[in-house]
Amino acid sequence: FGSIKFLQGGGLEPSMFLSARFMLAAAVMSPLLAKTNAKCILGSAEAGLWLGLGYVFQAAALQTTPAGTTAFLCSLTTVVCPIIEKFTGVRVTTQAWGAAAMAVAGAAVLELSGDEVPGRGDLLALMQPIMFGFNFFRTEQVVREFPDQVLPSTTIQVGVCALLGVAWSFWDAGGIPDLSPLLAHAHEPAFDFALLWVSLVSTALILVLQGVSLGKLPSSEAAVVFSSEPLWAAGFASVLIGEEIGVNTIFGGSLIIAACMARVVDIDRVRRRVKVVRRKAAKTLATLTLQR
């Protein structure tokens, strides 16, 4: 998130940034398409469409919304996934709904605290978890059906995102996009490093790892793996581009992270462990009392 803010702060339009980011990632990943199973192409393309829309909303939101806030709102994906599962017939526990309520409270603290009224950027940021939630859900279905197609499926998704970025660039420009802002920074080391980092690490590598995890875990649980992202985003945004981390960001973000973690905590198991510890403590205390 901090790198995205840095790149867009250099005069790069969100649509142009998205195109460059995913075209570079798609070019590097293209050899992985060699062993693609034709049956998984359609599902992967649909998952890529959801993913691309999520990144479109993210890039647009970051124009006016702090990286930390955008990242914390993005972590609501962890709550969106069980809601999607509910509508597809999967039983959702009371614990999951409680986590959802906590996450909504955290988002409210982020958006309704302070002097500024939530604006267009905040609404765009709130669209991220919906799009990414559908991407997680569809990716899980694809990689479970075709477990040997994680890499080709991820590459297809990245390709769809690249096409979406290019289409957005043409729409933005009303024709052929102006490449001069991108070319003007092409030889700046900080710019090149940020673009390579976002394209190859934050995009290609992370999406591959995400696909692998979704092949082993339900989407509602796999999403929790990424719940620490806002903490890193807020920290790096503070260090790299000087964004302030306010009390509302810390408190609201903590609620969202707590909600994310609550999704995978087995309450019954915790209660059983507490009972065991209590019994052992009582037994030890009784033994000590008798010895006296």
Side-chain angles (χ1 to χ4, degrees):
F1 286 85
S3 296
I4 296 172
K5 290 279 282 188
F6 171 76
L7 291 167
Q8 293 183 183
L12 205 59
E13 291 294 327
S15 56
M16 180 60 65
F17 160 73
L18 199 72
S19 300
R21 173 185 186 177
F22 281 98
M23 287 180 69
L24 181 56
V28 172
M29 297 177 69
S30 57
L32 300 175
L33 292 172
K35 297 182 179 181
T36 303
N37 184 332
K39 294 181 180 179
C40 83
I41 292 177
L42 187 60
S44 299
E46 183 198 337
L49 180 61
W50 291 115
L51 180 68
L53 289 173
Y55 280 117
V56 165
F57 284 117
Q58 182 183 101
L62 283 167
Q63 283 190 298
T64 56
T65 305
T69 300
T70 305
F72 279 120
L73 292 176
C74 182
S75 69
L76 289 172
T77 302
T78 311
V79 178
V80 171
C81 286
I83 294 176
I84 295 174
E85 290 179 349
K86 172 66 176 178
F87 283 104
T88 56
V90 179
R91 181 178 174 274
V92 180
T93 64
T94 304
Q95 180 181 350
W97 291 120
M102 191 185 302
V104 170
V109 171
L110 281 174
E111 296 304 309
L112 302 179
S113 299
D115 299 327
E116 295 185 7
V117 177
R120 176 174 173 271
D122 301 274
L123 294 176
L124 292 172
L126 280 169
M127 293 300 295
Q128 296 175 99
I130 298 174
M131 301 300 133
F132 290 142
F134 276 105
N135 169 257
F136 269 57
F137 181 72
R138 287 297 289 129
T139 300
E140 178 193 354
Q141 292 181 321
V142 171
V143 298
R144 290 292 177 88
E145 186 175 357
F146 305 99
D148 62 335
Q149 293 292 297
V150 172
L151 296 180
S153 176
T154 303
T155 305
I156 291 170
Q157 292 186 44
V158 171
V160 171
C161 291
L163 292 174
L164 194 61
V166 171
W168 187 18
S169 295
F170 274 84
W171 176 272
D172 246 1
I176 299 177
D178 179 14
L179 299 178
S180 58
L182 179 62
L183 297 176
H185 297 284
H187 300 292
E188 297 176 8
F191 182 90
D192 293 341
F193 176 78
L195 183 58
L196 287 172
W197 177 271
V198 169
S199 301
L200 304 183
V201 179
S202 298
T203 302
L205 178 60
I206 294 302
L207 289 177
V208 167
L209 294 176
Q210 175 180 303
V212 171
S213 67
L214 286 168
K216 302 178 182 299
L217 297 171
S219 58
S220 59
E221 293 185 18
V224 179
V225 176
F226 302 93
S227 64
S228 66
E229 181 183 43
L231 299 177
W232 297 104
F236 277 107
S238 176
V239 172
L240 296 177
I241 56 179
E243 284 191 358
E244 293 185 5
I245 301 178
V247 175
N248 61 310
T249 301
I250 295 173
F251 183 58
S254 298
L255 283 174
I256 290 177
I257 295 300
C260 294
M261 298 311 298
R263 281 289 300 120
V264 292
V265 174
D266 188 336
I267 299 297
D268 291 334
R269 184 177 180 182
V270 171
R271 287 173 179 169
R272 288 195 297 269
R273 293 294 298 173
V274 169
K275 287 181 180 179
V276 170
V277 171
R278 283 179 176 176
R279 284 198 297 269
K280 288 182 177 180
K283 186 176 180 180
T284 302
L285 183 60
T287 301
L288 292 173
T289 302
L290 289 173
Q291 290 177 350
R292 290 180 182 177

